[in-house]
Amino acid sequence: MMEHVFVINSYFWLHSFYSSTLPGNGETLIGTGYRPSGGGKGVNQAFAAAYEGCYVEVIGRIGADYAGEMCRKECASVGGIGCRYLQRDEEHATGSGCILRDEEGGNAIVIVPGVCDDFSKADFDAAKEYIKKCKAGGFQLEVNPETIGYAIKESAGLGVRTFLDPAPAIVLPDDLYPYISFIKPNEHEASILTGIRVSSYTDARRAGYCLMEKGIKECVIITMGEKGCVVVSRDGAYIVPCPQVSVEDPTCAGDSFAGSFIASIAKGKTIKEAVIQASCLAALTVSRSGSMYNCFFDSREQLEKIQKRYLEKIEYEIIKI
């Protein structure tokens, strides 16, 4: 039986610029490439969750423009993603973004939310009958944060396990934490949320426990790029290393991790199993270039190879801290 999940949609028309290094303040560089594409944390979570075998509804707003139509077309072509609750806004444009990438895998991103800022409580409420069927839901902060807070609380009240990718990072209201089942900040985001500068596993452990004390219900996952991630729950803390792959493009690693984790939780996997599965999909994503839309849907064989190598040794490499 296919499990049902939902994600709060964010979709932007993205302009990616490639250069040997990232420019400094006031610096102009000659680039090596350019690629336009669609994407966003919300829709990327949906792609990953659908890839992992769940049925996903995206809930949110898109503009009545080219980018909005591309969002619908991409979701339809992937399969397993519904757009019944994706409102078409005639007055506001779909968001846009600029991504700078260098040859070492570094990147810098600026987004203009556009219609995402107009996502309303009424938009969310319109999907409640579907949400009641879901075991897990995905949230991020590229959409109106006030409505996101409302949606997380309402979802928790309906018995949904809620997953928040707190990016772009902002200080969250203290009363929101008890409604969040899982939160996945990176080092930078964890530092903003807790005031603890995160640069090591020990720092991440401290930040994780700080977030648990704020009220996170199940666990904190602090992702640390090639260092893997630190998982903190009421049962303890441990490091999960990431699979070793050749990195082509790191941009969407966190989004694929999030969507995979949501799907695994909906399917009844344990937190550790879900983190391991998500780590493999994130590794596959960074090993390929391009948007999430075309990144891994033709790559089952490659994913299976990553999983086989990873699972042969991962239980020996998970370290309690």
Side-chain angles (χ1 to χ4, degrees):
M1 176 181 173
M2 183 176 288
E3 299 294 349
H4 290 72
V5 301
F6 70 90
V7 300
I8 302 301
N9 188 61
S10 61
Y11 185 90
F12 309 98
W13 196 245
L14 303 171
H15 302 270
S16 296
F17 297 88
Y18 298 80
S19 58
S20 57
T21 61
L22 295 179
N25 184 36
E27 182 180 10
T28 299
L29 297 176
I30 299 297
T32 57
Y34 165 74
R35 175 187 292 147
S37 63
K41 288 187 174 299
V43 75
N44 288 347
Q45 287 180 9
F47 290 153
Y51 180 83
E52 296 284 23
C54 284
Y55 176 78
V56 190
E57 282 284 352
V58 288
I59 302 169
R61 284 185 171 249
I62 52 172
D65 49 27
Y66 173 78
E69 289 307 307
M70 286 300 296
C71 179
R72 286 186 179 275
K73 288 180 181 179
E74 289 176 1
C75 288
S77 67
V78 163
I81 300 178
C83 298
R84 288 181 294 170
Y85 308 104
L86 194 56
Q87 308 294 334
R88 190 173 186 267
D89 192 314
E90 299 287 342
E91 298 182 4
H92 302 96
T94 304
S96 57
C98 173
I99 305 175
L100 304 180
R101 311 175 193 263
D102 68 21
E103 294 176 351
E104 301 300 320
N107 66 83
I109 304 172
V110 175
I111 59 170
V112 178
V115 74
C116 288
D117 276 343
D118 298 291
F119 178 60
S120 69
K121 295 176 182 179
D123 294 334
F124 178 79
D125 288 344
K128 275 189 175 177
E129 287 305 310
Y130 172 76
I131 290 168
K132 291 175 183 177
K133 302 177 183 179
C134 297
K135 293 185 177 179
F139 303 84
Q140 33 65 38
L141 299 176
E142 290 179 337
V143 174
N144 183 348
E146 181 181 349
T147 304
I148 289 294
Y150 170 82
I152 288 173
K153 290 179 179 180
E154 291 293 304
S155 298
L158 295 172
V160 175
R161 297 167 85 182
T162 56
F163 177 100
L164 175 63
D165 184 346
I170 59 173
V171 176
L172 299 175
D174 287 339
D175 67 350
L176 181 59
Y177 285 98
Y179 297 91
I180 302 170
S181 301
F182 312 97
I183 192 167
K184 185 201 69 64
N186 62 21
E187 304 107 300
H188 170 71
E189 294 149 5
S191 299
I192 290 175
L193 293 173
T194 65
I196 298 169
R197 184 175 180 275
V198 177
S199 59
S200 68
Y201 293 134
T202 302
D203 297 334
R205 179 180 179 276
R206 287 179 56 222
Y209 277 119
C210 178
L211 291 170
M212 292 299 295
E213 289 170 3
K214 287 177 178 285
I216 296 297
K217 290 194 287 187
E218 298 194 50
C219 83
V220 177
I221 305 164
I222 298 180
T223 56
M224 305 182 71
E226 62 184 15
K227 297 179 183 177
C229 63
V230 171
V231 181
V232 180
S233 71
R234 305 198 190 284
D235 296 326
Y238 53 90
I239 302 165
V240 179
C242 60
Q244 298 302 303
V245 296
S246 177
V247 176
E248 290 291 328
D249 186 344
T251 309
C252 298
D255 302 342
S256 57
F257 186 107
S260 176
F261 185 91
I262 293 164
S264 291
I265 289 298
K267 291 178 177 182
K269 292 187 177 182
T270 67
I271 290 171
K272 185 178 289 186
E273 289 170 340
V275 169
I276 289 172
Q277 181 76 12
S279 297
C280 289
L281 192 62
L284 173 65
T285 303
V286 304
S287 71
R288 298 165 70 93
S289 61
S291 67
M292 281 278 284
Y293 169 64
N294 58 23
C295 192
F296 49 57
F297 284 94
D298 61 347
S299 56
R300 289 288 178 186
E301 184 177 346
Q302 185 179 351
L303 177 61
E304 288 171 3
K305 290 179 180 179
I306 291 172
Q307 289 172 326
K308 184 176 185 298
R309 291 196 305 267
Y310 190 56
L311 294 175
E312 285 175 351
K313 59 181 181 178
I314 185 60
E315 290 299 330
Y316 303 102
E317 293 187 348
I318 292 177
I319 303 169
K320 291 185 178 181
I321 56 174

